[in-house]
Each structure stands twice: as C-alpha cells, then as structure tokens.
Amino acid sequence: MSILVYIENVEGALKKSTFESLSYAKAVADLTGETATALSIGRVSQDELNKVGQYGIEKVIEVDNNDLEKFVNQAYASVIADVAKSMGATTVILSNSFSGKGLAPRVAAKLGAALADGAIALPTISGVTWQIQKTVFSNKAIATEELHEQKKVIALTPNSFEAKEAAVAVTIEKYEPQLAPNDLSTVIKEIVRATDKVSLPEASIVVSAGRGLKGPENWAMIEELADVLGAATACSKPVSDAGWRPHAEHVGQTGLAVSPNLYIAIGISGAIQHLAGVSASKTIVVINKDPEAPFFKVADYGIVGDAFEIVPQLIEAFKAY
Ligand code: FAD
C-alpha cells in the first residue's frame, strides 16, 4: 500500500500548492507508515522534478507524452488512476486547485475510491476509516467527513497546509501511459492569459485593503503599491460585498485562504473572520489609523497612521530602493 501525490505544473514550473500537497502526502505517509510517490504529467525539467525531494518525497513518476503536454482533464485523470493502480496506491492526494477540482472526482470514480475534496487538515485515522476536515458551502463552514473505503482520494485546499522542507535525494522513473481515444476527445489547444497580474493564491506578497480606503476610487494606490512589490491585491469581505473590488480578491473565513511571505493589511480592522484566511502569512504588516485596531495584535510590524499619507510614501520609498 502506498500514497500517490499528483504534482501540478504551470508552463513547466511546479506550483506552490504542489509543495503543500507534497508535504501533506509526506505527513500522511508518516501517519500510516506508507511511502509517498509523486506523479508529474507534462513537460517538466529534471531540475523542477528534483524539487520534490525538498519536501521529503524520494520518487517521482514522470509522464512526458506529446498528447499530454497541455492539461486534458479526462486524460490526466486516466493516467493518475492507471499509475495508482499499477503501484497499488490506496491513497491519491492532489491539490483542490482549478484543475484538481476537475480531476479528483474523476480519479475517485475510476478507482472506486472515497473522495474528500477541499481537505484542510491531516486525517484522523482509525483503521480503514479516516476522518477529514474540509470546507463546505463556499468556505462558509467546516465539515468533518468520514471516508470508509480502502481507497481514498484527497484534494487539499491550497494554503491550508504549510509546505515543510525535508531534503532527500530523488529518483525519477518514466511511465508510458496507455491512453484510450476518448481520453483525448476534448483537447485544449491554446491558453491565453487574461491578465499579467500575480495570482492571489500563489502570490508571495499580498497587498490587501479594507473599508478604511473609503471607496473604490482610492484603489489606484493599492494597485500601484502591489505593482511596485510584484504583489497580488486582496481585500476584506465588506469591500467585495460593496462591489468596490471583485469577489475573487476577498480573503478570510468566507473567502480565499492565503499564506504569502508578506501580507500588508491597509485599513482593515482585523476581525476574526478576516484573520482566519490570512494568519498563516509569514510576516504581517498592518497600516491602520486606530492604534487599538485588533489587527495590530497579530502583526509583525505595525504603522499607526493614515493610509492616504503612508501608502504614497511607501510607493516612493520602494521605487527608490
Ligand atoms: P472595518 O471593520 O470597517 O475596518 C476598517 C478599518 O480601517 C478600521 O480598523 C479603521 O480604523 C481603519 N481605517 C479607517 N480609515 C483609515 C485610514 N484613513 N487609514 C488607515 N486605516 C483606516 N471579513 C473578511 O474580511 N473576510 C471574511 O472572510 C469574512 N467572513 C465573515 C463571515 C461571517 C460569518 C461574518 C459574520 C463576518 C465575516 N467577515 C469577513 C466580516 C468581518 O467580521 C468584518 O466585518 C470585516 O472583516 C471588516 O472589514 P474591514 O476591516 O475592511 O472594515
């Protein structure tokens, strides 16, 4: 029995959420006493594949096939299920990313496995029964799900499990997939990026703003600060509810969970529901004119002052740097 963890790449580079899935798979393997093996599909360099060792996984199965250069939901699901069967894997772990959300149920159906999508914590294991916490109702609540099947597919919510480094040497083994014609019935020919902006779940720096900004017309300085730092922009819930910013930027208990290296919170009070989605950030900087704002309690650095004076000064300082 073993664990298979699918590692996603974007244009040949492993995604941040992949490192979280690898660490999660290693932690599950430590709990069950099994070994975890990574599976890469698509064109990924050896240097990238070797990064798997930095998260404690010793073996990568590499599927590098011309038909699979671009993501094809059905075909990728078939390959993941075939590899899992061939190595006798009873647990398949992947990220609950955009593509993972399409893959996880397909892989579970092909394997006859129980599925936990949106997992946010390690399972509690009692024989064949595993209990797993997952987010439900668009992240508005947390449910505990019991998986009773021997085979399990777990899709891990990005940013819910910290990637922990544990360097080991990696061996890479090639696998030639047997694809059925209907696996390739729909193929993506081209992906054109709609935006050059840094993606929020993957960003290592996030500039986030709240109701203290007074209105949507004041976001130019937030975007400029984010541009200067190479950061993604985010916001508090009332800001997206009011339509000042898109819902995709809303972070917190009912929005996205992020864990960047640096989270800059501007004009955000620091309500517990907001902190639920950002407290895994490595360094938190808070800018708020109210010295009693709760956000200061969890901040690594705090600036008490008016955002409309401080943010332009920060932009100038970073530009000059
Ligand atoms: P406010 O609470 O209005 O705070 C504005 C802050 O800006 C204040 O601290 C003020 O001192 C400061 N400020 C004002 N002017 C300036 C200035 N010129 N310069 C600097 N600072 C200034 N919220 C989320 O964000 N994410 C969630 O996922 C979320 N989920 C929720 C789920 C539930 C079930 C509930 C009940 C609430 C949820 N909320 C969530 C809402 C949350 O409770 C807060 O109401 C919200 O986070 C407050 O947003 P805010 O900090 O932008 O606004």
Side-chain angles (χ1 to χ4, degrees):
M1 291 201 296
S2 59
I3 295 165
L4 182 66
V5 49
Y6 167 61
I7 54 174
E8 260 180 63
N9 74 84
V10 176
E11 292 164 8
L14 296 185
K15 289 178 72 175
K16 178 179 169 238
S17 56
T18 280
F19 302 133
E20 295 160 4
S21 302
L22 286 165
S23 289
Y24 185 85
K26 173 77 173 78
V28 174
D30 289 345
L31 283 177
T32 59
E34 298 168 312
T35 50
T37 300
L39 167 64
S40 163
I41 308 176
R43 201 133 295 161
V44 182
S45 71
Q46 304 290 298
D47 281 352
E48 276 299 299
L49 292 181
N50 278 328
K51 286 185 184 168
V52 162
Q54 292 170 17
Y55 302 90
I57 306 291
E58 294 175 7
K59 186 172 160 189
V60 182
I61 296 175
E62 182 189 16
V63 175
D64 182 1
N65 176 297
N66 284 340
D67 289 330
L68 299 173
E69 210 180 315
K70 290 205 173 70
F71 177 72
V72 190
N73 214 327
Q74 266 163 278
Y76 274 43
S78 293
V79 173
I80 296 170
D82 285 351
V83 172
K85 281 181 196 160
S86 76
M87 59 182 269
T90 46
T91 307
V92 174
I93 292 169
L94 31 70
S95 171
N96 202 38
S97 59
F98 182 71
S99 48
K101 281 181 181 152
L103 288 172
R106 286 183 166 86
V107 174
K110 286 174 190 289
L111 294 175
L115 169 67
D117 53 344
I120 54 167
L122 285 171
T124 308
I125 297 175
S126 170
V128 78
T129 302
W130 291 16
Q131 284 193 346
I132 297 191
Q133 284 194 322
K134 56 177 274 185
T135 51
V136 288
F137 305 129
S138 309
N139 298 329
K140 286 187 181 61
I142 294 169
T144 302
E145 207 166 60
E146 249 181 25
L147 310 183
H148 296 287
E149 294 293 332
Q150 178 80 39
K151 290 183 183 169
K152 297 167 180 79
V153 172
I154 302 174
L156 178 70
T157 297
N159 295 319
S160 62
F161 193 82
E162 194 183 346
K164 296 188 189 83
E165 302 219 354
V168 294
V170 177
T171 55
I172 300 170
E173 197 178 279
K174 299 252 184 209
Y175 181 90
E176 201 45 58
Q178 304 294 318
L179 295 171
N182 66 352
D183 280 339
L184 297 166
S185 54
T186 308
V187 175
I188 295 172
K189 298 302 280 182
E190 191 187 15
I191 296 173
V192 180
R193 278 178 186 270
T195 170
D196 289 339
K197 288 196 174 160
V198 183
S199 125
L200 179 54
E202 296 282 315
S204 65
I205 305 178
V206 173
V207 176
S208 187
R211 215 152 37 179
L213 266 280
K214 317 286 186 229
E217 65 281 5
N218 295 321
W219 248 263
M221 67 176 183
I222 301 300
E223 290 191 329
E224 192 177 357
L225 179 59
D227 278 351
V228 172
L229 292 172
T233 48
C235 67
S236 65
K237 183 174 184 293
V239 163
S240 63
D241 285 349
W244 297 358
R245 297 297 292 176
H247 278 289
E249 288 194 3
H250 154 203
V251 292
Q253 182 189 320
T254 48
L256 274 176
V258 293
S259 57
N261 289 328
L262 176 61
Y263 185 80
I264 304 178
I266 303 166
I268 304 177
S269 56
I272 190 154
Q273 296 89 353
H274 185 85
L275 298 182
V278 307
S279 51
S281 307
K282 295 207 173 50
T283 302
I284 295 179
V285 175
V286 171
I287 302 168
N288 197 304
K289 70 175 185 186
D290 175 7
E292 301 298 322
F295 224 143
F296 284 122
K297 292 202 176 78
V298 297
D300 297 284
Y301 301 95
I303 303 173
V304 178
D306 188 335
F308 295 97
E309 289 170 16
I310 290 160
V311 173
Q313 288 179 45
L314 283 177
I315 293 167
E316 288 317 309
F318 285 125
K319 276 184 179 166
Y321 185 67

